[in-house]
């Protein structure tokens, strides 16, 4: 009897201990279903996309979650409440919801008549955006060089993904153009390195190489870029916009960004890849020489036209952007004519550079 009583008491104590144990310890966790895993991956991806669109690194985001009053902190609060209003009363998104992008952030600042108030309108003027961009030009700690390098990589492999990010920036910051000059800084470094290599291959002196560098940066990149961007900005707003309205216009900064995006592959092909073939293949007076050189020129200029077309076709309020692909016809015609006449584009470019640095 005593043993039975002790066993009964032992069972009661064991039962009481099981009741005191949490459910997570008493029972093994249930495995997540494939649907739950997909929903969790979708939420992580949407947060990552917004971080890329806003130019916030993972370190700033984590610091923002700890209470810092920074751009990461604002982003953390925005993601935690699913892009709700400024008072934090917005509804939280349901698991698996795709409404993570804060597309209503601009609408929440709208007045009753549908126009921005005077304070927000002043922040969205071209002068305010230009001042913000130039102010960050010398603040390297605020630049997201990792994201800019990501853009440079995908400009070769998948340019559509780069312009898809411009859509996210429009939804989050209400502007199409970049507000982070990191891409321009990395492009300038590429210009310096490739031009120095070009001067070394052409056997130029130090001062001649510096003159060539200034020419390439301020004339080939900036000067020609300003001219082409202004021309495309005028043509697109004048003839390609579906509705002639202030709400439907191409930003000049976006036109300049499209030029930089298209100029980078051209720079890498002509000022970097071509360097390995100039002295031993291209500059020789043979058919193989000007065939290789002119083919590289065809690929580089063709890539410039294609990336430019993608940039303007990404804007939903433009029409007939296919006309931007029409320069392919005279380009191919000029390429065939140059092979028939034995005209070496690279030889002409090198002679022009040597003439300019004298």
């Amino acid at each position: 009897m005593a043993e039975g009583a002790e066993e009964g008491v032992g069972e009661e104590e064991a039962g009481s201990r099981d009741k005191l144990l949490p459910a997570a310890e008493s029972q093994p966790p249930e495995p997540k279903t494939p649907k739950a895993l997909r929903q969790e991956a979708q939420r992580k991806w949407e947060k990552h996309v917004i971080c890329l669109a806003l130019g916030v690194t993972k370190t700033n985001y984590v610091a923002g979650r700890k209470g810092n009053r920074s751009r990461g902190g604002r982003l953390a609060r925005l993601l935690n409440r699913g892009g709700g209003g400024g008072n934090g009363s917005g509804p939280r998104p349901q698991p698996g919801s795709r409404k993570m992008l804060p597309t209503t952030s601009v609408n929440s600042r709208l007045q009753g008549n549908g126009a921005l108030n005077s304070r927000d309108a002043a922040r969205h003027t071209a002068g305010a955006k230009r001042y913000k961009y130039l102010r960050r030009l010398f603040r390297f700690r605020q630049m997201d060089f990792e994201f800019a390098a990501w853009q440079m990589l995908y400009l070769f492999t998948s340019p559509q993904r780069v312009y898809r990010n411009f859509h996210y920036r429009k939804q989050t910051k209400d502007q199409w153009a970049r507000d982070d000059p990191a891409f321009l800084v990395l492009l300038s470094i590429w210009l310096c390195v490739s031009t120095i290599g070009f001067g070394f291959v052409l056997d130029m002196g130090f001062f001649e190489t510096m003159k060539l560098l200034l020419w390439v940066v301020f004339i080939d990149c900036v000067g020609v870029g300003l001219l082409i961007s202004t021309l495309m900005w005028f043509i697109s707003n004048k003839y390609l916009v579906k509705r002639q309205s202030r709400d439907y216009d191409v930003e000049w900064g976006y036109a300049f960004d499209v030029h930089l995006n298209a100029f980078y592959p051209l720079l890498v092909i002509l000022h970097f890849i071509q360097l390995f073939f100039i002295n031993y293949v291209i500059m020789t007076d043979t058919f193989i020489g000007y065939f290789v050189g002119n083919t590289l020129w065809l690929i580089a200029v063709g890539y410039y036209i294609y990336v430019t077309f993608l940039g303007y076709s990404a804007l939903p309020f433009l029409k007939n952007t296919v006309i931007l692909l029409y320069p392919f016809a005279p380009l191919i015609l000029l390429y065939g004519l140059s092979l028939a006449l034995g005209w070496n584009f690279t030889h002409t470019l090198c002679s022009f550079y040597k003439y300019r640095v004298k």
Side-chain angles (χ1 to χ4, degrees):
M1 292 294 292
E3 293 179 356
E6 291 178 358
E7 291 179 357
V9 173
E11 292 178 356
E12 291 178 359
E13 292 179 356
S16 62
R17 286 197 302 269
D18 292 339
K19 292 179 180 179
L20 293 176
L21 288 175
E25 296 181 3
S26 60
Q27 296 179 359
E30 297 181 359
K32 294 183 179 180
T33 62
K35 182 178 180 181
L37 293 175
R38 289 195 300 269
Q39 292 174 353
E40 183 179 356
Q42 178 68 23
R43 290 194 297 271
K44 291 182 179 179
W45 170 248
E46 288 172 343
K47 289 185 179 182
H48 177 66
V49 167
I50 296 179
C51 288
L52 292 180
L54 294 179
V56 177
T57 60
K58 183 178 180 181
T59 303
N60 294 334
Y61 172 67
V62 173
R65 294 191 63 180
K66 295 181 179 178
N68 294 346
R69 291 187 176 181
S70 60
R71 187 169 52 178
R74 294 194 297 271
L75 176 62
R77 293 191 294 272
L78 177 65
L79 293 178
N80 289 334
R81 64 173 176 261
N87 55 2
S89 61
R92 291 179 178 271
Q94 298 297 328
S97 173
R98 295 180 181 272
K99 298 180 180 179
M100 290 293 296
L101 287 176
T103 56
T104 60
S105 60
V106 178
N107 296 331
S108 63
R109 301 191 299 267
L110 295 178
Q111 295 178 343
N113 58 356
L116 287 171
N117 56 46
S118 58
R119 183 177 179 181
D120 291 330
R123 293 178 180 178
H124 288 78
T125 59
K129 295 177 182 178
R130 181 170 57 252
Y131 171 75
K132 181 180 178 181
Y133 186 89
L134 294 177
R135 185 183 61 183
R136 296 183 60 184
L137 189 59
F138 300 99
R139 298 182 179 181
F140 295 98
R141 293 184 178 181
Q142 297 183 2
M143 300 182 190
D144 192 353
F145 291 104
E146 181 181 356
F147 180 58
W150 175 87
Q151 288 183 320
M152 288 183 168
L153 174 63
Y154 277 98
L155 280 174
F156 278 99
T157 58
S158 180
Q160 296 87 346
R161 297 186 62 177
V162 177
Y163 288 114
R164 197 177 304 146
N165 173 259
F166 282 79
H167 277 278
Y168 299 146
R169 184 182 298 107
K170 177 62 176 178
Q171 293 175 350
T172 54
K173 298 188 177 181
D174 194 31
Q175 71 177 57
W176 290 96
R178 291 187 179 97
D179 63 336
D180 187 356
F183 187 91
L184 181 61
V185 173
L186 291 184
L187 181 63
S188 302
I189 296 176
W190 260 103
L191 274 171
C192 295
V193 173
S194 62
T195 304
I196 292 175
F198 214 97
F200 177 77
V201 170
L202 297 182
D203 197 16
M204 295 182 178
F206 175 77
F207 293 102
E208 293 178 345
T209 304
M210 292 298 103
K211 290 181 181 179
L212 178 63
L213 176 62
L214 295 176
W215 176 272
V216 172
V217 171
F218 292 102
I219 302 298
D220 291 352
C221 182
V222 178
V224 177
L226 294 176
L227 179 62
I228 295 178
S229 301
T230 304
L231 181 63
M232 293 301 301
W233 170 75
F234 174 78
I235 294 176
S236 58
N237 283 319
K238 185 70 174 179
Y239 302 105
L240 301 181
V241 176
K242 296 179 182 178
R243 301 177 184 178
Q244 296 296 332
S245 172
R246 293 182 60 184
D247 297 332
Y248 297 93
D249 63 340
V250 179
E251 303 171 8
W252 187 92
Y254 180 79
F256 188 69
D257 283 340
V258 171
H259 164 73
L260 294 182
N261 292 341
F263 181 78
Y264 172 70
L266 182 143
L267 171 70
V268 173
I269 295 174
L270 296 183
H271 272 230
F272 181 71
I273 297 178
Q274 190 175 219
L275 294 180
F276 299 97
F277 304 96
I278 285 184
N279 289 332
Y280 302 102
V281 179
I282 298 177
M283 297 300 289
T284 59
D285 295 331
T286 59
F287 175 79
I288 298 297
Y290 56 80
F291 173 77
V292 173
N294 293 0
T295 302
L296 290 176
W297 274 85
L298 175 67
I299 296 173
V301 179
Y303 220 106
Y304 183 92
I305 296 173
Y306 177 66
V307 175
T308 302
F309 161 74
L310 290 179
Y312 289 96
S313 62
L315 300 179
F317 51 86
L318 295 185
K319 60 180 180 180
N320 300 328
T321 54
V322 70
I323 64 175
L324 299 178
L325 294 177
Y326 289 174
F328 267 111
L331 176 64
I332 295 176
L333 180 62
L334 181 62
Y335 172 74
L337 186 63
S338 66
L339 294 182
L341 299 178
W343 181 14
N344 194 328
F345 294 151
T346 305
H347 189 276
T348 303
L349 176 68
C350 294
S351 300
F352 176 75
Y353 277 163
K354 291 181 178 180
Y355 171 77
R356 293 303 307 175
V357 298
K358 286 183 178 180

